[in-house]
Every structure is written in structure tokens, then in C-alpha cells.
Amino acid sequence: MPKFLDCCRRCSSPKVEPGVLCGATSKIDPSLQKSIVKIFEERLQNKKIESKKTAIHFSDRATLTFNQVNTLASCMAKNITERLGYSYKVENPEGELIIGISLPLSEKAIALIFGVLKVGAAYLPLDPDLPEGLLLDVLTLAKPVMLITDDNGRIFNKYDINKFTSICKVCSIEELWIDTDFALEEKSRRASIEKAWDIDVLEGDTKNKTPVYERALVLIHSRGLRNNPVIVRLSNKSILNLVSFHWNKFKMCSKDACCVTVSMASAESIPQIFVPLLLGSTLYLFRRADVTDMDNFAKNVSWSNVTSLSIPTHHLGEFLRCIDFHGRVKMVRAFGKLKNVICSGAYVSPEQVSLFFAIFKSGVALSNTSGSVETTVEIMCETYKSVKDYEAKLHVERPTLGMVIHNSKIYILNDELQKVQEESVGQICVSGDCLALGYVNEKAAAGEGLKTGFTKNPHGASVPDENANDVTLTCYVVLAKGVKESDVPNQADFEFTLKEVLPEWAIPNDLKIVDKLPVMQNG
């Protein structure tokens, strides 16, 4: 986590003591204190989710209703369990049942996520383009019982499949799908599957006494180099806290339509997937290639009637310029149902804000979220309703931290983990319901003398430290003639730009400007 100066000037609550930023205390609805799939099932049964409504819309190729998502998930859960058999052994360091998913984004992949959760397992999404060595390192650390990939992917066609089967069972999505493809129209078969596959018994190993609500739901491969992968464990509780925050903050309802604009292996996909689907809102899927073709992306978003658009901050300017190019009046009319644009990662710039409100003059809010995987993707959110609103919230020519999400705290602490006073420098530490469970095999990492991102909080619950791993990847930059150092993007913008062209493992932790590139003795 970075260090901040004067970041205690504006708090989300005026009564908070110096050195502490608090989110609103929100009593969690008892109906949300369960596993995500159980909530999904119950909301379907209670008709809070309309079963025949379109749940997932993938490009112009496929759609699934909420009932179809649920039925397919049940079929996949049944097929996964049959393939695992009764002799599998959970070897994950934390004793968690894990199933890896290495697939491109699609309606099948989303249904599969819910199927894995119905088995009582947590899912480990992996970028299909990861190098073989790093993919094997991540699997060796996480120790899933099964890896699900596709017949046309690298694992079956480019990599040594024997190396993967030596770690866990490997299954293709096509194998699982072939048994479910026609089940949707066969009412008797569907009913027998749903009756036999009652969700009440799909809560994993009965020896695990941890409440399902507090167990891991997803494991995200975060920053880490070869032989040093880092995997963060996120719980049902932390994700549902984020879901509840979005529902309240953005005043969402089942009539809304949302979108996924990032890879399924990205941490940012978590709110983009679960926020709408648990609410009963339609989810539009956009692949990485769709977003890089901004002209088509803008047109597709306009006809999809999306009300809440999530987009990386570094794409916002291009998105707005594309709208501007095709004519503001015409395009804004096409975006008639849009209510919220949510940018993740880097701060929005004054130029982006100015262009945004020049195009969307009223009725559309611009929000900026930030956080890390350890804080379940988001910890802070600021919303702007006009250029004047944005300017009023600036501090020393930079945006303020904004609102801390519900049931969470940010501490500004010194090196001894004591709260700092105003006008003092400190490091950001976070606690509360937003916090991840920790890292995979964290005890072993601590025993080897490695820094971990979590430490005991002397002020309450656990907080993450500022470093997740000692290993870093540095990018050295030599400026071209005529380019000034001030023209170089900041670290956050640099990282988010590279996410579109590089896999997560190859994104540098640090950016350094040098006169010339360092070389070995042999040149």
C-alpha cells in the first residue's frame, strides 16, 4: 500500500479520530449472511429474481436466463462431482476445496463459476494466456482438486498436459457442457437434477467447521513472479459486503443492466459478476478484444441499454472521445438509460471529468473506485455529479480518498502501527468486512521470513501491511528525445495501460526513468 500525506483531512465521518477513516456501519441483512449460491437459489425461489429474465448476454451469440444459469450450474456441479469421485484428497494448505478455471470470458464460464460454488468449492480463475511455468507454480501453491479448461486452449494443445495432471485432475468445459446442453428443455430431467442436487448439501467438506459465509469463495492470483506466486483468498463475507455496498451506493435495482469489461481472472471481475446477478439484473459480457476496439464497444454499450458501466480509468478518455466523434447529441440519446459510470484503479483526470460532463450534462454520475485484491478490490469510492462537484473535492490538486466502503476502516499508521496525527505522514492499513482471509499458505511464507500483507491489528481486527511480497519486477524507461519526465504516466496509469497488452504476471511493480538501460558485462 502507498504512503499518503494529509490524507486524514477529509473523512467519510466527521466524528472519526485522527488517523482513522471509517465507512458507514451497515447491518448486514440476515438473508445475505449465507453462501452466494444459496442466496442466488433463495432469491430465485422467492421470486426476487425473475427466473425467465435474461441473466447473461454474451455479444450477439448467446443469452442465458436466470433459470438457465441455475440449472446449468446444478448440472455442472453434478458432473464435476461425478468426475472427482469419492477418493479425491484436499491438499490445499488451508484445507480448502479449490477448483481452478482457466477459460476465456463467456456465458459458459459464468455458469461454471456458479457450478463450482454449488459443489462447495472456491474457484481459482486463471488467465488462459499465462506461461506454462507460472501456471504450474500457481497450481502447485493452491493445490486445487481439479482444473477446468477448454479443448482449444494452451493446456491441451501447447503445454505438457502430464505436468498438469500430476498436480490435479484436468477436465475440459466441453466435457461438462455436453451433458448439460440439452437439459434445459427437458423439464423432467431438469427437475430430477435440481431435486437430487439440493443446494443444502453442497457446502463442502463436513469436517470444515468454518461457517460457509466466512469461507473462501474465490482465490485470485495477484502480483507475483515465477516461483513466487501470490494468491489472495477472498471470502463470501467480504464479497457480499462489497455487493451490498454497490446496491446501496449506486441505488441499484433488478431493472438495471450491468457489464463485465475485464478478464475473468482479474480481481475487478468479482463485483462486475456478482453485483448484478445476485440482484437479478442482466449482465452483458465484453471480451478484452471488444474493449480495445473502442468504436464498436461504445456502439454495443449504447444498444445494450446498460445502466451501470464499469470501465478501467485508462479507457475512459478513449471511450468519451469516441462518443464525441460520433456526435454528442446522437450518442447521449442512445445512452438514455445510463445512470452510473464506474472507473476502477487510477484517479480520473480533470480532462476526463471535464469531457465526461460536457457529454453527459446531467443524470449520469461518474464514480472512481480504488483498492487492492487484499481489500476485495475496492476500499474507497468517490462519486462526482458535475465538474464543480469534482473541483470541490480536490485537495492539493488531487482527488480525495472518498468514501470508505461499508463496515470497513482505514488506519493511517506509523512504522510502529500507531495512529498518526493530522498533517503527518503514515502508511495505509485496512480492517473490516472488506478484508481478505489472507494468502494461500501464509504460515509457510511467514516461516520463511517473507513479508506478508496481513498483520495483527493493535486497534481491532486484522489489517494488511503495505507489502505483499519482497519480489518486484522493475521497468526501466529511457525517455525519447523531446519527452519530459512530467509526460510519463504515473505508476497507477502505467499499470492499468499495460493490463491491456500484458498478462498480470508480466506487469512491473515499479517504474524507473534512467538515462540509459542497464546492461550485463557482455552487453
Side-chain angles (χ1 to χ4, degrees):
M1 286 272 187
K3 294 183 177 180
F4 281 77
L5 178 64
D6 292 344
C7 57
C8 297
R9 281 184 175 272
R10 183 173 180 273
C11 303
S12 53
S13 170
K15 298 180 180 179
V16 177
E17 62 187 300
V20 182
L21 301 167
C22 282
T25 301
S26 174
K27 190 174 182 180
I28 301 297
D29 186 333
S31 67
L32 295 181
Q33 296 184 8
K34 303 171 184 177
S35 68
I36 278 182
V37 283
K38 194 169 186 69
I39 293 169
F40 185 67
E41 282 269 350
E42 289 182 349
R43 290 180 67 84
L44 271 171
Q45 293 169 1
N46 298 335
K47 298 183 179 180
K48 291 184 178 180
I49 293 178
E50 187 180 340
S51 62
K52 295 182 179 180
K53 180 180 176 181
T54 298
I56 300 173
H57 194 293
F58 179 43
S59 186
D60 58 351
R61 299 189 300 169
T63 61
L64 291 176
T65 66
F66 281 96
N67 193 51
Q68 288 173 328
V69 171
N70 188 49
T71 301
L72 285 169
S74 294
C75 291
M76 287 187 178
K78 181 175 183 294
N79 294 334
I80 289 171
T81 305
E82 288 175 349
R83 282 166 173 75
L84 281 176
Y86 296 98
S87 60
Y88 71 87
K89 183 179 180 182
V90 175
E91 297 183 346
N92 172 268
E94 282 69 38
E96 294 165 340
L97 182 63
I98 308 298
I99 293 179
I101 300 176
S102 180
L103 294 170
L105 184 66
S106 70
E107 81 288 356
K108 294 180 181 179
I110 301 297
L112 176 61
I113 287 175
F114 279 82
V116 168
L117 299 182
K118 284 196 174 195
V119 173
Y123 74 99
L124 170 67
L126 295 165
D127 190 329
D129 294 327
L130 280 179
E132 180 180 37
L134 180 56
L135 188 54
L136 289 168
D137 286 340
V138 174
L139 294 173
T140 300
L141 176 60
K143 291 183 170 57
V145 294
M146 176 182 282
L147 173 65
I148 301 171
T149 185
D150 62 304
D151 283 337
N152 298 318
R154 294 187 175 194
I155 292 175
F156 280 121
N157 296 284
K158 185 176 180 180
Y159 299 157
D160 185 348
I161 187 64
N162 294 322
K163 294 180 180 179
F164 291 87
T165 55
S166 68
I167 299 173
C168 62
K169 292 190 176 183
V170 180
C171 176
S172 74
I173 183 70
E174 288 79 9
E175 289 180 62
L176 298 176
W177 197 261
I178 198 169
D179 292 333
T180 63
D181 205 15
F182 301 102
L184 300 178
E185 302 303 325
E186 299 177 16
K187 294 182 179 179
S188 59
R189 184 181 177 190
R190 183 175 70 237
S192 65
I193 289 173
E194 291 175 347
K195 184 177 180 180
W197 210 242
D198 191 321
I199 195 170
D200 287 337
V201 302
L202 300 180
E203 296 188 344
D205 188 352
T206 56
K207 297 178 182 178
N208 190 341
K209 302 300 181 182
T210 305
V212 176
Y213 178 56
E214 298 178 4
R215 292 186 206 169
L217 179 139
V218 55
L219 278 66
I220 293 289
H221 171 224
S222 183
R223 185 64 50 76
L225 305 180
R226 177 167 168 73
N227 298 320
N228 290 280
V230 176
I231 305 176
V232 184
R233 302 160 50 239
L234 303 177
S235 69
N236 277 264
K237 181 179 181 180
S238 66
I239 293 172
L240 286 169
N241 185 66
L242 181 60
V243 167
S244 178
F245 173 77
H246 271 256
W247 289 0
N248 286 278
K249 171 66 177 176
F250 302 109
K251 297 179 173 60
M252 297 182 68
C253 66
S254 60
K255 294 181 180 180
D256 287 326
C258 306
C259 60
V260 175
T261 57
V262 294
S263 163
M264 198 174 73
S266 168
E268 286 80 10
S269 71
I270 294 170
Q272 292 182 22
I273 291 172
F274 292 114
V275 166
L277 291 183
L278 291 181
L279 185 61
S281 303
T282 299
L283 177 62
Y284 287 83
L285 305 184
F286 295 99
R287 295 160 297 188
R288 186 178 297 171
D290 296 327
V291 183
T292 53
D293 184 354
M294 190 55 69
D295 190 65
N296 280 330
F297 174 69
K299 292 178 182 177
N300 288 335
V301 172
S302 66
W303 65 251
S304 65
N305 291 321
V306 164
T307 59
S308 183
L309 171 63
S310 296
I311 187 170
T313 304
H314 67 276
H315 278 315
L316 178 63
E318 187 181 357
F319 175 71
L320 295 173
R321 287 189 293 273
C322 183
I323 294 176
D324 215 21
F325 176 79
H326 289 287
R328 294 181 184 180
V329 176
K330 176 185 175 182
M331 291 297 288
V332 168
R333 190 180 297 121
F335 284 97
K337 293 191 176 182
L338 188 63
K339 297 188 298 184
N340 295 294
V341 174
I342 305 170
C343 296
S344 58
Y347 287 123
V348 291
S349 68
E351 294 75 21
Q352 290 172 327
V353 174
S354 179
L355 182 55
F356 182 91
F357 288 109
I359 294 172
F360 300 103
K361 298 183 184 300
S362 63
V364 183
L366 176 63
S367 296
N368 208 171
T369 65
S370 57
S372 67
V373 183
E374 289 83 356
T375 59
T376 315
V377 189
E378 298 172 11
I379 181 60
M380 296 167 289
C381 177
E382 187 67 276
T383 298
Y384 310 109
K385 297 184 178 179
S386 66
V387 173
K388 288 185 177 180
D389 185 27
Y390 171 78
E391 291 173 344
K393 293 174 179 177
L394 289 178
H395 176 62
V396 196
E397 299 184 352
R398 294 202 62 184
T400 54
L401 292 178
M403 173 189 288
V404 180
I405 74 168
H406 295 168
N407 306 308
S408 305
K409 282 186 178 182
I410 290 179
Y411 295 89
I412 314 300
L413 307 178
N414 59 25
D415 292 341
E416 286 73 41
L417 297 183
Q418 297 303 308
K419 300 170 192 173
V420 302
Q421 296 300 311
E422 289 195 25
E423 311 294 333
S424 300
V425 176
Q427 63 184 15
I428 291 182
C429 292
V430 180
S431 73
D433 290 352
C434 68
L435 210 59
L437 295 172
Y439 300 110
V440 170
N441 208 8
E442 187 170 6
K443 292 182 179 179
E448 294 172 5
L450 298 176
K451 284 188 178 180
T452 60
F454 296 83
T455 185
K456 187 174 181 180
N457 182 5
H459 311 287
S462 297
V463 296
D465 200 354
E466 62 175 349
N467 294 311
N469 200 293
D470 278 333
V471 180
T472 61
L473 178 63
T474 300
C475 175
Y476 293 93
V477 176
V478 176
L479 299 182
K481 187 176 181 180
V483 178
K484 300 178 182 178
E485 188 169 334
S486 59
D487 296 329
V488 178
N490 61 38
Q491 179 69 26
D493 287 334
F494 179 70
E495 289 184 12
F496 271 82
T497 300
L498 288 182
K499 276 188 176 182
E500 294 305 310
V501 294
L502 293 176
E504 181 73 20
W505 60 269
I507 297 175
N509 306 73
D510 191 20
L511 172 66
K512 291 184 178 180
I513 299 173
V514 295
D515 295 330
K516 61 180 181 179
L517 293 177
V519 295
M520 303 293 285
Q521 290 182 351
N522 59 6

